Amino acid sequence: MNIHTIILAAGAGSRMKSNQAKVLQRIGGMSMLQRVLQTTTKLNSKSTVVLGHDKEGVLQHLQDIEGNISTAIQVNQLGTADAVKSAMHNTKSSETILVLYGDVPLVSEKSLQELIDKSENGFSILTTRLDDPFGYGRVITDADNFATAIVEEKDASEDEKLVNEIFTGILCISQELLAAGLQEITNDNAAKEFYLTDLVKIISAKGIKIIPIRANNDEVRGANSKSELEALESILRNMNAQDLLDKGITLADKSRTDVRGNVDAGNDCSIDVNVILEGSIKLGNSVSIGANNYLKDVIIGDNTTIEPFSHLCNTSVGSNCNVGPYARLREGSTIEDGAKVGNFVETKKTTLGKGAKANHFTYLGDADIGENTNIGAGTITCNYDGTNKHQTTVGSDSFIGTNSSLVAPVEIGKNAYVGAGSVITKDVPDDALAVGRGKQIIKEDWSKDKK
Ligand code: UD1
Ligand code: CA
């Protein structure tokens, strides 16, 4: 089956009180539209996004998204049927059309696959049950539970308003049935709009059995306001945290764990409260992530602990390491097995060799630190000369005294020592001691004479 998804994204979304199109509002760090497109890509479907309000903004955004994506323009927002009609020139009669909303971002691949599978008669619709169905199209069914009509709130009779099975807006239909049905839709209703939902009555009247597929109501919620957006964020957080629990990760509090990407983990990992996991996160066995950590695109080996309040980006940390509290590991940091990074230490494009330590108040940028070397508190690599960045290399088993400045490019050998407070501008050979600081002087009785 060739699936072609039409994503409705032309609406204004004025209740968001934003200068951007509604579908560009983000949840879990990704626009609602991108989330929908991610799902269609998983379904191997091509997509046509229907643009209207802020089409320039949406087009710009689409340039950064990969996939088989085209666009169509709906000139005036005359209703959901008109929106679908404006995309039909992109479709082929051999295709099955899936209609999604750009502002309903959490619908699962599983529910959509079921909807597609059950469209064997040519047409299936995704529904849900709501305690308060106010405002939604009500699904009218026959004795055999096939859908015969969808009635919008404004057009519903008192009896129809009591129906609590509602249409989610999502449907799956053969292109040929859709093309024929669209010809028959008029705007003869209370809103004077072309309702896509009229398809149900039109196609049911042709004797085709329309199967309603019921989804859970969290995944088919949309967002029209910042409150609803926040509600989606919380649903997504909950879904993702549940996913971590299902993978066997221990969470201190599901409601205080934010996953904004993909997490892979071995056994016995634990995550304390207020942790944000973004991008691609790979954890080994028995990794412990303390409270209030931010991790983006990080690989962490077995038995490593990330203490609270650390910030790790584009970083790989080995096994049996200890990082933080208050560490900042920036892009291109590699912390090898058994190494330690303590509080207020920042690294960038730096390798800290096996068993090496940088325990307090240090900046290591563009540096390669050998195995078992100790970087004293307050050590700074002066990697930037105002124009270019330069490299610092320190061999294994060396000792950099506290408060030293290593002026790059500079190379310090193996088993070498740097005295505290040194400014190192020249290379230091293996096994040497380098001291580069003003000599201490003593003036006896100096303060006595002053008085
Ligand atoms: C629609 C359904 C209703 C369903 C509800 C679920 C119709 C007539 N009604 O109602 O049965 O219960 O969704 O949320 O379809 N859009 C366009 N162009 C337009 C109009 C809308 O692109 O001309 C887009 C909107 O941006 C939005 C989506 O289509 O993403 C739905 O439109 P909206 O006006 O919100 O439909 P509802 O009245 O909520
Ligand atoms: Ca709506």
Side-chain angles (χ1 to χ4, degrees), residues 15 22 101 103 136 224:
R15 279 193 284 149
K22 176 161 70 168
Y101 289 178
D103 58 354
Y136 290 95
N224 298 300

Side-chain angles (χ1 to χ4, degrees), residues 3-52:
I3 309 293
H4 189 145
T5 305
I6 298 177
I7 301 172
L8 305 193
S14 48
R15 279 193 284 149
M16 283 288 175
K17 301 207 168 84
S18 163
N19 295 330
Q20 289 187 310
K22 176 161 70 168
V23 294
L24 299 187
Q25 301 292 328
R26 294 156 79 89
I27 59 161
M30 193 190 281
S31 76
M32 295 199 280
L33 181 58
Q34 186 170 3
R35 246 170 227 290
V36 173
L37 285 164
Q38 204 179 39
T39 309
T40 60
T41 300
K42 282 191 203 151
L43 290 165
N44 290 320
S45 166
K46 59 163 92 160
S47 299
T48 295
V49 182
V50 179
L51 308 174

